[in-house]
Amino acid sequence: MSTDVPFRILPQLTDNNRAFWQGGERGELVFWRCQDCKFYIHPPQPICPMCHSKNLATEAVSGDATLTTYSVNYQPWMPGPELPYVVAIIEIVEQPSVRLTTNVVGVPIEALEIGMPLHVVFEHHPDPDGDVWIPLFAPPGYTS
Ligand SMILES: [Zn+2]
């Protein structure tokens, strides 16, 4: 993607969220994971909510996900995305409690189905404070 990258309000990078927002540079969707009970933690927290361990590390997941719910937006609430666009909640296959609010791309709106398989794709945003790769989701095999 190049000049047609839509406007986004970019996240402020911190030591806790940098792995998530910059994993896309390597094509990786990255979360914090408890090294004791193997729970993926998102959004980032300093302590595992399952076992209260502080033994956490970042790990890449497969990028495979399923569509949990979505809405179709026909209103330009902010400059940027081409209309209509899809705001969705997806669950990663490794742990359905990890949900992301994201956009689904590369599929006609009529073809969207709850439960359909999706795979992460990244939208690169150069930024002087640190480039960001926004994870979006598309049908498996989609290339932008
Ligand atoms: Zn844990």
Side-chain angles (χ1 to χ4, degrees):
M1 285 188 251
S2 55
T3 54
D4 58 347
V5 173
F7 171 82
R8 301 260 184 200
I9 296 169
L10 297 180
Q12 190 162 12
L13 295 176
T14 67
D15 288 345
N16 274 335
N17 70 20
R18 197 176 304 276
F20 177 77
W21 292 116
Q22 295 190 322
E25 183 173 14
R26 303 177 308 278
E28 291 180 346
L29 184 60
V30 176
F31 295 99
W32 285 96
R33 190 179 198 191
C34 176
Q35 300 301 294
D36 291 332
C37 76
K38 298 301 180 188
F39 191 76
Y40 288 101
I41 300 162
H42 190 79
Q45 301 169 35
I47 294 176
C48 173
M50 298 305 281
C51 75
H52 302 210
S53 170
K54 292 181 182 175
N55 183 17
L56 313 181
T58 55
E59 282 186 26
V61 296
S62 64
D64 291 330
T66 55
L67 180 58
T68 302
T69 189
Y70 67 94
S71 68
V72 180
N73 286 261
Y74 295 94
Q75 182 73 28
W77 301 107
M78 60 177 74
E82 208 172 295
L83 298 173
Y85 63 98
V86 178
V87 176
I89 295 176
I90 65 87
E91 298 174 344
I92 67 168
V93 297
E94 286 82 0
Q95 183 178 302
S97 65
V98 173
R99 292 178 159 197
L100 300 180
T101 303
T102 180
N103 297 136
V104 174
V105 297
V107 57
I109 284 162
E110 318 80 69
L112 289 168
E113 265 183 72
I114 303 294
M116 71 188 291
L118 298 170
H119 189 79
V120 71
V121 294
F122 292 96
E123 188 179 270
H124 178 206
H125 291 263
D127 190 272
D129 295 329
D131 286 13
V132 166
W133 284 260
I134 307 251
L136 308 178
F137 286 80
Y142 170 81
T143 51
S144 57

